[in-house]
Each structure stands twice: as structure tokens, then as C-alpha cells.
Amino acid sequence: MKAIRRFSVHPVLPEPLRPLSELAHNLRWSWHPPTLRFFSELDPEAWRLAGGDPLRMLCALTPSKLARLSCDGAFLRRLAVVAGDLHDAVNEPRWYQQEAATGDLPRAVAYFSPEFGITGALPQYSGGLGILAGDHLKAAGDLGVPLIGVGLLYRQGYFRQSLSREGRQLEHYPALDPAELPLRLLREENGLPVRVELRLPGGRSLRAQVWQARVGRVPLLLLDSMVGANAPAEREVTDRLYGGGGEHRLLQEMLLGIGGVRAVRAYCRRTGHPAPEVFHTNEGHAGFLGLERIRELGEQGLEFDAALESVRAGNLFTTHTPVPAGIDRFDNALVAAHFGDDGELEGIPADDVLRLGAESYPGGDPGLFNMAVMGLRLAQRANGVSTLHGEVSRAMFAGLWPGFDPAEVPITSVTNGVHAPTWRSPDVPDDAAALPDAELWALRRRLRERLVHEVRARLRASWRERGAADSELGWTDGVFDPDVLTIGFARRVPSYKRLTLMLRDRERLTGLLLHPERPVQIVVAGKAHPADEGGKELIQELVRFADDPRVRHRIVFLPDYGMEMAQALYPGCDVWLNNPLKPLEACGTSGMKAALNGCLNLSVRDGWWEEWFDADFGWAVPSADGEAAADEDRRDGIEAAALYSLIEDHVAPCFYERGGSVRPGPGPGSDSGSGSGPGSRAAAGGAGGPVPARWVEMVRRTLSRLGPKVQAERMVREYVQQLYAPAARAQREAGPDAARELAAWKARVREQWPSVAVGRVEHERHDGPEGAGRRDGHDEHHGHDGSVRQDAAGRQHEPDDGLALGSCLTLRARVVLGTLSPEDVEVQAVSGRLDGTDRITGGDAVSVPLKPVTSASGGPDLEGRWTYEGTVTPGRAGPFGYTVRVLPAHRLLASAAEMGLAAAPEAEEV
């Protein structure tokens, strides 16, 4: 019978065992091997049944068992050691405390994300964005960064995935009870839960309680709308991660951003935690946090424009999206209905909210509100998540800075990293790169053998869910071989990640899988969004191929990809495959996690692999370009053929080469088990057999050279030094008076900017240390080849004899500033190599400030022009040119491009 009421019954721990509760509630156990061992040895069977979740295991222990443990002196001494280690880990000074003693670092940082992947015991993530957020919190805690994480508590998580008999993705949404998760309610002094409340149209309210998770020393606040005071519709706001659309998604993002700031304020008030000076928005979903901060300052008497400048100073926006289609956008009318007089943020007109998210640039949709655009306008600093993604982001959002080339758009990059203690197998020692060849090769085989057992168990369970009987599944005992080259491919399944590129030529793939001497086995996993029918079809296509009896022992699809499965896949694979459509992979951190375990990368040069690819520790799949890239079918054919060739001609021979010869692997159709096939271990170079020297050397270099780069501690240090610290300084400088000054100055500059112009520019050549100068006017245009050329107005000019390398040009420019003064602007000479259209190439551009020349009057000439002078010098031979431009300048601007304003000569004047 189905129960009509449900309760969570908690164990009552005897006083000596109280530290167990703290150990179970602090998620540090999920990446700390000594704590994991302590719990697993406490009751191995209960640990297995609890799925490795300490809190669930404690709930399963009988009162008699707890009573015996509370009297067990040896156990209590071990408990004291583990509990003391946790206390030290969350309290002792770390890297950040040392840096704070000598640097100007923020007192605290609030980190907002729509999802957090901390552990499978707290399923609040869907993929890379959430795992990255979880790794950010973990690494911040390890470094001592005073971070507060902020997200939502989804009562049904993302979804659990299974397969139908036909291989179709099926979704299941298990109900999560916070009382059974490693969470605690944030409470007021009187014991009642802290509540945050949002006003909704029509007099409705959205209320939420705040759950706390402990991620090492970092608190994670999760807002939960499933409270009795809410109407049924509002209770469902935090039902599913990325579920629903329209108003449902808007309310989730309002609760995350606006409610999240209110939750942070309540947490700091209740715990004494320092108030954040920096607010970090991980993607646009939490962008409304900036508006809530503006509202707070408005209550303190600061006008909207001044409050905006103050908020921008301390806001950081990280974009993970390489395509506009990946950004949340809402109808303007829907957004307007939720703000202003009948909604949230009292005192802030809805029109001011809409302007912040308006796509007011060429190609934008004036009827839509863009969350990423709002995030960028509310943040003085922004970054992408790899060097290439930074370039893509600058081009994608260039319309917000219309006076600048994409290369100058003020979006930097911090390449993602992964938390090594979470993703490196405990069997891979810190000094694995120093192991002798034979030991390192034996370690890799042990990891592969463990993966074989994992694959068989998961595949068998999947087929049972698909309706197969045990009697039909004997073949699963022969799936995979611990001595066969193993390739992994696991990630979300949007179309651009190209799950089925490997199926482009099925006969060729089959030949690779069943090669008589160099066979390959492939493990695949991934989830498609429930609304993505195209992604589901890709999964079904892959599953149907893997179901073929000819190859099913060599290629498998494992459903319900999550953190637990990932932690088994990365160490056990020899090669990690990634073949996205370049440049649509913002970073792609799964390959980083694999690399921490000595797995080699085979990837399109996108995301982080474009940045750190080296032939010493992996392979790059060539990308089609030119006309071939524009033809989807042709592009995929070219890149798939390149992938097959790499595996066939380079990857597999390298793996199977033993002592100068290629050793044969198991024959086609072999069902050899974990070394059970006749001669399989020796035949494939297993333990005790010859070592593939080149392969092992690539593993060693992956561990020693790539491993340190991909770690989240490196990433968080860069955030602290390059973004958090400058944002904290800017926030401190942007007090009420300074914010008012900056807002008034910006308004004045924008009003006067149409009057700013660059007039006549002339230069004087200095051909060498002893050469005489030669003055040229701005209207003397010369071709690079010495021929007569025409300018934009059609005028012809005599040829120039060029410049010798080492020469320089002294420039003199007449600049009209209107009512602005030289203190309001910076006049620059921008010079560098020219491309085929005479544009200065962004990577080679050099900007040199020009100085105003003091006139007799101390001001402009009679025609209102100021004279500026300076020198430019070609840095290399080849086509070279310069231009002059005027930019706004103020001590509180983070960059000269911040306002998107630039004045340069008209084309016919250059």
C-alpha cells in the first residue's frame, strides 16, 4: 500500500559519536580518502547498501550498533583523529590567508550558479557547468578562499536516465527529501527557518527557505521554494533543474539572483561571516543579483545610475556559452510584468530593468530580454573559460562595445580547471609520473581492468532495465578486455558535441573495433536534455549500433552518466575522445579529469585542448575549414575520416607497440575476460609483458606536464589574482560619492561624445638615429608596394619609399573635444601590421598614449582643437600602419573600452 504521509527518521547519536554527524554533513568526505576509508570500514555492508553515502549509512545503523561503537575506545580514538583533521582543514590558514596578509584581497566572495556538482549524494547538477561550479567551491576551500556558494535546491534534481528496449532515452525524476541529504536549514535565533520572499504580479509571493551544505570550509546556500506558505504553483518553482520554460524559468532565475543575495545577507547576519565584496555570476542565470544589489543601495539613498556604477565595480560575470542560442532570453512583456510597481525591486522602474537586458545592437531582437547581456552590463569584469572561448566571447558580444574591434572587447579568460582530489583515482599516487615504466604500465592496466568490471556490471543492469532476462545476458561476461586499447566518450548530448561522429563510416569503425592485431573498445555515456529530441535520436542511433552482436563486446553505451560513473571511467580509459564542432566547446573539462589519471587526449583542438595541446601527450583531430566547414555533411565526413586515420595509424600502433614490434591483441569476437583468455595478457602486453615505451612516456608527460595545468587550484588562484582582487579594490573605491561622480561623468561624456572628433593627423619620419625628419600630412597615402594608390575619397597619391625597421614616426593630431577636457579622455596612436584590407590586426596592435601639447592659452586653439603628440615605432617588417583615436578616461574605469565609445578619423581622412 502507498503511504499517505512520509517522514525522515534520523538516528539519535550517543554523545561520544556526535562528531560522526559533522563528518557526514561536510561534503569534504567525498574527496578525502581517509574519511571515506573511515566510513567504509565502520560497517562495510551498510556502506555498500548506502551507495557510499555516509549520512544514509548512519541512518541504517541500529541503536545497538551505535551503542557498541560509543563504548569502543579504539574506534573513538580513530573518530577523534578524523574529526580533528576536518576541524583543521576548515579552520587553519591556507594560501589565501598568506596572500591576504600582503595583498588587497576581498573579505569574501559570493559565487552564484544554477547548479553545483559536489557529489552524487547531492544530485544538483546536469553537466559541465555544475561540475565546474562544484570544483570551484572545493578548490576555493582547499586554498582558504572565503567563498559563499549560492544556488537552488531542486526537489527532483535533473533526471535519471534509462533506456527503452529500442534504445530510446527515458527520463525519471526521483523525489529528493532534503532531510535525507547532507543539508541543514538556515535558522533564525528563535529556531524558525530563515525565509526570503519575492513579490510577484497580482499580489502573489514567492517564498523560499535556505538549506546549507558544507563543502569543506565553504558554505553552499540552496534556496528551496517547497514551503507551505507558497501557493502550489510557487512551490514548484524549484522542482527540476532546467525544467519548464517561460515564467517558470524566469522565476527560478529571479529566485537565484534576487533571493540568493537576500539569502547571503541572512547567512552573514546569522553566522558573522564577512559580507561579500565581490559577487561572481557563473553564467547568466543568476544575473538578477546585480539588480537586487542596486535595490539595496537605493534603500540607502543612492540614485539608480550611481548604484549601478557601485554594483558593477564588484560584479564578475563568467560566460560559458559559445553560441547565442545557449543564452536564456525572455519576452520583454514577461520580464516587465514581474518588476516595477506590481512586482519585484520596488523603486526600480521596469524600463530600467529592460534596458539592462536589451539586445540593442545590430542583429539583436528588440523584443527579447537577454540574461547574458544583462550580466555583462551589470559587471565591470567578465571572462570566458578558455583562451579560445575568450576570443569567441569577444566576437559574440562585440555589439555591446560598438567602438572597438572584437579583440579589444573587455572580456578576458580564465581557463577552467578540475579538482584533482575529486577526479584523480586514489590508486594514482601523486608521484605517478616518477614510477618506472613497468610500474606505470601495470598501474594503467589495473585501472583498465577495474573499468572492465564496472562496464560489465552497468551494462548488465541496463539490459535488465530494458527488459532482458538474466538467461539472455551471458554474453555480458565477455564484454571488454583489460588488455585492449580503451577509448572513452562521455558528456552531455547536444548536437554540436557530435556523439555519433564515430558512426560516420560504420564499416570502418567496425574494422577498428575488431582489428585482429590492434582492436579498440569504446565506452560511451551521456544524457540529452529531456526536451532535446535530436539529442535523444543521437543516443538511440549509438545504442542501436552498440547492440549489434558483432560489436557489442567492443562498444557499449552506459545510461545515467553522473559523477559516480565518471569517477570510474576517467581512470580506466586509455584515450579520452572529444570531437565537438569547433569553436562551440567553451572548455570541455572531461578531458582534463581523464588526464589527471594518465589518460591521453584525442580531441578536436577546441576549448582547453586548443590552448594546451602537445603531441607529447595526445593527438589533435583536424578540423575542416573554408568551404568544407560550411557544408555540414562534408565537414563531418572529413573530420570523421581524420579521426579513424588517427586511431588506426597512430593511436593503436603506439598502444600495441612492444619492444619495436606490434603485439597482437585478442582476435575478433574474442570473449576473453579479465585475462582469462588463453595468452591474452601476454599477447596484449599485459602485466609482466613488454611495455609500450612511447605510450608510457606520453602517459608520464600527461601526468607531469599537463596534470598541474588542468587543476582547479590553478584556476581559482587566477580568479583571485586577476579578477577578485581588482574587483574588491574597485568596490572599495566605488563608495556613494565616487559612484555618483562616475555616473555623472559618464552621463556628461555620453552627451558630449558626438562632438568628439579626430581632425588632421601628420607624422614626421625619423629614419635612424642620425636621419633627418620628414613631415607628411595625413592626406598623403602610399601603397605598400610603392605604387600610386587611391584613398576612400578616390584621391591619388604618390608612392612612398617605405620605412626602415628601427625607424619611428612622431605623430601630431588635432582633436576636437567639445566641452570635454583632456582629463576626460585618452588620445591613442594605434599601430601595427596590416591585413589585406589595411586593418591593423588585433594581435599585433600596439596602443601608445599621445600627450596634449600645451598651447599659449593653455587650452584648445581658436577652432576648438587640441594638439596631441607622440611616437610610434614599427616592431617588425611588413605592411605597417597607424591610426589615432580618442577614448573616455576615468580613474574608476576598469578598461578604456568599458563605455564602448571611441572616436577615430573618418575613412577619407585616414
Side-chain angles (χ1 to χ4, degrees):
M1 292 182 290
K2 186 175 179 61
I4 62 171
R5 295 282 178 84
R6 187 178 191 277
F7 301 91
S8 294
V9 180
H10 297 287
V12 178
L13 295 175
E15 184 62 33
L17 301 183
R18 291 293 172 85
L20 283 174
S21 179
E22 291 305 312
L23 286 169
H25 276 88
N26 194 309
L27 296 173
R28 177 175 176 262
W29 61 258
S30 67
W31 71 86
H32 188 241
T35 307
L36 280 170
R37 282 195 299 272
F38 172 79
F39 276 114
S40 66
E41 293 168 1
L42 175 59
D43 189 323
E45 180 61 14
W47 178 254
R48 184 187 67 80
L49 293 174
D53 181 340
L55 193 60
R56 289 180 59 194
M57 187 187 75
L58 291 181
C59 291
L61 296 181
T62 64
S64 59
K65 172 79 172 180
L66 294 173
R68 287 196 302 273
L69 289 173
S70 67
C71 299
D72 185 334
F75 173 78
L76 293 178
R77 287 191 292 273
R78 290 182 59 209
L79 174 59
V81 170
V82 178
D85 183 70
L86 174 62
H87 178 271
D88 292 344
V90 300
N91 290 288
E92 64 185 8
R94 295 293 180 96
W95 169 83
Y96 191 88
Q97 284 66 44
Q98 296 172 358
E99 292 293 304
T102 57
D104 193 12
L105 301 183
R107 290 187 293 272
V109 176
Y111 181 91
F112 287 64
S113 178
E115 51 175 304
F116 286 91
I118 310 294
T119 168
L122 187 63
Q124 300 291 305
Y125 62 92
S126 72
L129 179 69
I131 300 300
L132 180 277
D135 284 3
H136 194 110
L137 265 57
K138 294 172 185 177
D142 292 345
L143 293 169
V145 181
L147 205 72
I148 302 174
V150 186
L152 300 180
L153 179 67
Y154 304 97
R155 289 298 189 108
Q156 297 177 22
Y158 188 43
F159 70 89
R160 301 297 301 271
Q161 179 197 47
S162 61
L163 299 175
S164 71
R165 183 77 186 195
E166 296 75 28
R168 185 78 173 172
Q169 172 178 294
L170 303 175
E171 298 96 27
H172 314 276
Y173 293 90
L176 301 175
D177 185 346
E180 297 176 356
L181 299 174
L183 301 171
R184 289 182 170 131
L185 273 175
L186 179 63
R187 296 183 181 274
E188 300 286 4
E189 288 185 11
N190 60 10
L192 294 176
V194 166
R195 292 283 173 85
V196 299
E197 183 172 340
L198 275 63
R199 294 194 315 160
L200 302 183
R204 296 177 295 139
S205 294
L206 171 59
R207 301 171 183 87
Q209 56 194 357
V210 183
W211 295 91
Q212 304 174 71
R214 299 298 303 187
V215 185
R217 68 199 298 159
V218 173
L220 171 59
L221 309 180
L222 300 173
L223 284 80
D224 171 24
S225 68
M226 187 63 72
V227 296
N230 278 335
E234 281 69 58
R235 292 181 197 173
E236 299 299 322
V237 166
T238 56
D239 56 354
R240 298 175 180 176
L241 175 59
Y242 303 139
E247 184 180 31
H248 186 272
R249 180 69 69 88
L250 177 64
L251 290 178
Q252 283 190 340
E253 301 190 358
M254 289 176 63
L255 183 60
L256 175 59
I258 300 170
V261 172
R262 296 173 187 175
V264 168
R265 302 304 187 207
Y267 177 80
C268 293
R269 170 175 54 81
R270 286 292 298 120
T271 65
H273 193 289
E277 294 179 284
V278 175
F279 285 75
H280 184 174
T281 307
N282 190 41
E283 230 350 303
H285 309 281
F288 288 121
L289 72 85
L291 287 169
E292 169 63 8
R293 295 186 62 213
I294 290 174
R295 185 200 63 78
E296 291 178 328
L297 293 173
E299 286 189 343
Q300 300 170 26
L302 206 59
E303 303 79 12
F304 180 87
D305 288 345
L308 172 61
E309 297 304 331
S310 179
V311 165
R312 291 186 73 254
N315 268 17
L316 166 64
F317 178 77
T318 296
T319 174
H320 294 257
T321 306
V323 289
I327 297 170
D328 276 349
R329 301 156 85 205
F330 299 104
D331 185 84
N332 281 340
L334 177 65
V335 175
H338 284 76
F339 292 95
D341 294 337
D342 192 35
E344 254 303 330
L345 305 179
E346 185 176 5
I348 300 179
D351 286 347
D352 287 339
V353 175
L354 291 177
R355 273 194 292 273
L356 288 169
E359 296 185 350
S360 53
Y361 44 81
D365 187 331
L368 293 180
F369 182 91
N370 186 307
M371 293 295 291
V373 166
M374 177 181 65
L376 289 165
R377 286 182 174 143
L378 284 170
Q380 199 174 51
R381 289 163 182 81
N383 70 284
V385 291
S386 68
T387 298
L388 178 58
H389 182 238
E391 296 175 11
V392 170
S393 298
R394 288 189 286 274
M396 187 166 74
F397 294 111
L400 297 175
W401 291 270
F404 295 84
D405 291 337
E408 297 180 291
V409 165
I411 300 176
T412 184
S413 63
V414 174
T415 301
N416 283 344
V418 296
H419 187 240
T422 295
W423 300 110
R424 182 191 289 132
S425 170
D427 293 320
V428 178
D430 292 339
D431 64 346
L435 294 174
D437 283 5
E439 291 185 29
L440 185 55
W441 179 239
L443 169 64
R444 291 295 313 147
R445 188 188 185 280
R446 287 196 302 274
L447 295 172
R448 193 183 317 115
E449 185 171 28
R450 186 173 301 161
L451 175 61
V452 168
H453 292 293
E454 182 82 11
V455 165
R456 291 173 181 173
R458 288 181 177 272
L459 185 65
R460 189 177 186 89
S462 173
W463 271 101
R464 283 163 143 164
E465 283 192 309
R466 295 174 69 182
D470 284 341
S471 58
E472 300 177 83
L473 297 177
W475 61 273
T476 60
D477 294 335
V479 167
F480 274 31
D481 187 295
D483 295 312
V484 167
L485 171 63
T486 305
I487 298 176
F489 182 101
R491 51 192 36 86
R492 290 185 305 112
V493 191
S495 59
Y496 78 87
K497 291 182 182 283
R498 298 193 293 186
L499 170 74
T500 56
L501 186 69
M502 65 180 76
L503 303 182
R504 177 75 185 196
D505 184 337
R506 300 186 180 208
E507 286 308 309
R508 193 166 181 187
L509 174 60
T510 299
L512 290 171
L513 296 172
L514 304 180
H515 194 284
E517 295 182 337
R518 300 187 299 273
V520 171
Q521 56 197 17
I522 305 176
V523 55
V524 183
K527 292 180 178 180
H529 186 280
D532 182 4
E533 292 301 321
K536 293 180 183 181
E537 290 173 3
L538 294 177
I539 289 175
Q540 187 172 26
E541 184 181 355
L542 192 287
V543 171
R544 285 177 170 172
F545 178 83
D547 284 350
D548 186 334
R550 291 189 306 157
V551 297
R552 64 187 183 185
H553 64 298
R554 288 283 184 257
I555 182 169
V556 299
F557 180 89
L558 302 181
D560 208 29
Y561 181 50
M563 291 186 69
E564 182 185 0
M565 184 193 297
Q567 287 167 324
L569 293 187
Y570 298 135
C573 289
D574 300 296
V575 173
W576 198 255
L577 173 62
N578 191 24
N579 45 234
L581 179 58
K582 187 176 181 177
L584 302 184
E585 182 82 278
C587 187
T589 54
S590 62
M592 294 179 169
K593 298 160 193 163
L596 288 174
N597 294 279
C599 178
L600 309 184
N601 274 268
L602 169 61
S603 175
V604 167
R605 290 188 61 168
D606 200 3
W608 73 274
W609 193 235
E610 167 66 17
E611 194 169 337
W612 291 331
F613 162 71
D614 190 311
D616 282 344
F617 42 70
W619 297 269
V621 180
S623 298
D625 53 17
E627 292 184 7
D631 183 330
E632 179 179 336
D633 186 66
R634 185 180 174 198
R635 176 203 66 212
D636 287 355
I638 291 172
E639 296 184 12
L643 173 61
Y644 298 138
S645 295
L646 273 172
I647 296 173
E648 188 172 39
D649 300 334
H650 298 278
V651 181
C654 184
F655 179 86
Y656 286 106
E657 187 176 39
R658 310 285 197 268
S661 63
V662 176
R663 305 284 296 188
S670 168
D671 282 344
S672 61
S674 300
S676 60
S680 65
R681 182 171 294 196
V691 173
R694 169 63 179 157
W695 187 276
V696 170
E697 184 59 25
M698 293 179 74
V699 170
R700 191 183 310 283
R701 290 175 177 173
T702 292
L703 293 168
S704 63
R705 290 169 47 192
L706 188 55
K709 293 181 181 179
V710 302
Q711 296 198 27
E713 284 197 2
R714 183 270 313 156
M715 171 190 73
V716 172
R717 283 191 179 99
E718 290 182 10
Y719 271 109
V720 169
Q721 295 165 340
Q722 300 173 22
L723 295 166
Y724 291 169
R729 289 193 294 270
Q731 183 68 80
R732 292 166 192 165
E733 293 172 359
D737 292 341
R740 287 189 178 100
E741 175 205 334
L742 180 59
W745 177 85
K746 282 188 173 182
R748 181 167 58 87
V749 168
R750 289 192 180 99
E751 180 183 6
Q752 288 297 314
W753 202 256
S755 302
V756 177
V758 178
R760 180 177 178 82
V761 180
E762 50 188 28
H763 62 254
E764 182 175 340
R765 292 173 43 170
H766 301 275
D767 293 328
E770 316 231 343
R774 175 172 134 193
R775 184 177 297 276
D776 294 321
H778 71 284
D779 57 347
E780 296 178 39
H781 292 250
H782 308 287
H784 305 308
D785 59 359
S787 61
V788 176
R789 57 169 286 189
Q790 291 186 334
D791 64 14
R795 297 172 298 192
Q796 289 191 336
H797 305 280
E798 296 299 320
D800 189 3
D801 56 1
L803 287 170
L805 192 62
S807 301
C808 65
L809 302 172
T810 298
L811 308 186
R812 179 177 289 259
R814 270 64 171 190
V815 177
V816 178
L817 297 180
T819 63
L820 300 180
S821 71
E823 289 73 26
D824 295 321
V825 301
E826 179 176 293
V827 179
Q828 296 179 342
V830 183
S831 63
R833 289 175 61 87
L834 304 181
D835 63 15
T837 63
D838 277 4
R839 293 187 65 84
I840 299 170
T841 54
D844 292 314
V846 176
S847 298
V848 176
L850 304 182
K851 300 298 183 183
V853 177
T854 304
S855 65
S857 66
D861 61 21
L862 295 177
E863 297 180 10
R865 298 175 302 180
W866 295 83
T867 300
Y868 282 77
E869 285 189 350
T871 301
V872 298
T873 303
R876 54 196 294 185
F880 173 82
Y882 72 80
T883 188
V884 173
R885 67 181 179 183
V886 185
L887 306 176
H890 192 281
R891 73 184 191 285
L892 296 180
L893 295 182
S895 77
E898 181 173 317
M899 295 180 67
L901 299 175
E906 298 293 335
E908 62 268 17
E909 294 181 351
V910 176

